[in-house]
Amino acid sequence: KTLGLVTTSLALHAPSQIAAAVKKYAGEQGYQVLIAMIDDASDSSIQAAINELKSQRVERVFVNAPLETPVAESLVDENPDVLCLFLDVDPYSSVFNVTFNPAEGARASVKHLYDLGHRQFCLLSGPEDSVPARLRLNTWRDTLASYQLNPLAVHHGQWDAQSGYLATLQMLRETPQATALLIANDQMALGALSALHQQKRKIPQDISLIGYDDTYESAFFEPALTTVAIDFDLQGKMAVQQLLQSVDSPQTLRASTILPSRLVVRNSAG
Ligand code: IPT
């Protein structure tokens, strides 16, 4: 009774919270979870991780790595002996997945700032080659466009706090008129808060910011972070349910389970 999890770096808060949830719910069903962590989401590292799990007789695997649809499809084709459930692909792709609606939370965060009167937006997206980063960025841009607005600047971080810190310093230098900053995850928002404190900017009076993920820690940032919640515990629960059920009902094998994303209002936007 063993399942596998191929995951991006567990040094990132979101993947580690997802792994914790997967382990918890699999454990409740009497399954253990073997984890294979990858450093990059290239086809070859993912295939190597799947092979490592196969060699331990694992036949069902959660894949939490950002994958373009064709890459996920070819992994499915090339591994007929394992059933892969994808946790970080485009929800509307044709592979078996449990994912989050990338639009509703991101749209709500733009609307929240707009309704507060903000018009000067900067965007801090994730890595340029990351699928979820691109989906969030597209929604921010489309929602701004629906208000006849363009962002003053778009920056890209690497999901970690340091990249958020550096991008925010650059933003303050290049577009000091910005009053609103949308950030693609909470860890980069933590770095942004640090940069803003260092530069003596008041939050939210001088600048408002909204994160993404609602990781456990974000309620304890200073000020408490307004952010888009995606429920990692629920994702883990649904993923375990889907992967275990799939044996009985082969029609689930292409099923998409899309979980909600929603804005959680705290104190960092005003
Ligand atoms: C996504 C997180 O939102 C982001 O913070 C980062 O950790 C990223 O994963 C790493 O790939 S969550 C994913 C299930 C969309």
Side-chain angles (χ1 to χ4, degrees):
K1 290 200 140 195
T2 304
L3 305 173
L5 169 64
V6 174
T7 178
T8 3
S9 171
L10 294 173
L12 292 174
H13 297 172
S16 83
Q17 291 179 16
I18 293 167
V22 164
K23 256 192 117 69
K24 174 173 107 185
Y25 290 105
E28 286 180 357
Q29 301 298 318
Y31 284 80
Q32 61 163 340
V33 180
L34 293 184
I35 296 182
M37 199 174 101
I38 53 176
D39 296 323
D40 63 273
S42 68
D43 314 14
S44 60
S45 345
I46 293 176
Q47 187 57 57
I50 291 179
N51 293 345
E52 187 186 319
L53 293 168
K54 279 189 199 173
S55 72
Q56 321 232 37
R57 296 166 194 261
V58 172
E59 288 167 354
R60 280 181 277 176
V61 177
F62 305 96
V63 182
N64 183 23
L67 296 181
E68 299 291 344
T69 302
V71 177
E73 280 169 345
S74 74
L75 279 171
V76 171
D77 291 345
E78 281 157 26
N79 296 279
D81 47 344
V82 274
L83 173 57
C84 292
L85 172 59
F86 295 91
L87 304 182
D88 193 0
V89 289
D90 186 325
Y92 304 104
S93 69
S94 54
V95 294
F96 188 25
N97 73 80
V98 174
T99 46
F100 295 99
N101 182 318
E104 49 189 4
R107 207 182 289 132
S109 58
V110 178
K111 180 175 189 307
H112 184 65
L113 290 164
Y114 185 85
D115 290 345
L116 288 165
H118 292 280
R119 299 294 181 268
Q120 311 290 331
F121 287 77
C122 280
L123 307 179
L124 174 45
S125 181
E128 279 180 89
D129 59 0
S130 158
V131 179
R134 190 176 66 226
L135 295 172
R136 291 168 199 178
L137 178 60
N138 288 346
T139 302
W140 288 338
R141 284 184 184 282
D142 292 349
T143 313
L144 286 172
S146 76
Y147 296 122
Q148 272 82 52
L149 292 175
N150 272 318
L152 297 174
V154 178
H155 298 271
H156 290 272
Q158 297 301 316
W159 296 131
D160 65 312
Q162 186 187 34
S163 65
Y165 171 83
L166 293 173
T168 303
L169 290 181
Q170 187 186 353
M171 179 203 77
L172 290 172
R173 277 195 310 272
E174 295 174 358
T175 49
Q177 71 274 37
T179 67
L181 178 56
L182 288 155
I183 308 181
N185 82 341
D186 291 354
Q187 267 177 288
M188 293 192 294
L190 179 61
L193 285 172
S194 170
L196 293 168
H197 291 314
Q198 185 197 305
Q199 297 296 311
K200 306 268 185 286
R201 298 299 203 285
K202 290 204 192 63
I203 308 150
Q205 295 85 344
D206 299 339
I207 187 152
S208 285
L209 50 100
I210 297 186
Y212 201 110
D213 280 347
D214 192 27
T215 43
Y216 304 136
E217 300 76 17
S218 67
F220 301 93
F221 292 179
E222 185 54 41
L225 193 68
T226 293
T227 186
V228 173
I230 49 179
D231 187 339
F232 301 123
D233 191 78
L234 178 64
Q235 188 187 31
K237 183 179 181 177
M238 297 306 291
V240 168
Q241 210 177 75
Q242 289 289 311
L243 198 58
L244 293 182
Q245 259 175 18
S246 58
V247 185
D248 318 322
S249 50
Q251 68 271 24
T252 59
L253 297 190
R254 293 196 152 253
S256 215
T257 305
I258 307 179
L259 306 172
S261 56
R262 66 188 173 89
L263 185 68
V264 174
V265 176
R266 298 201 187 95
N267 303 326
S268 64

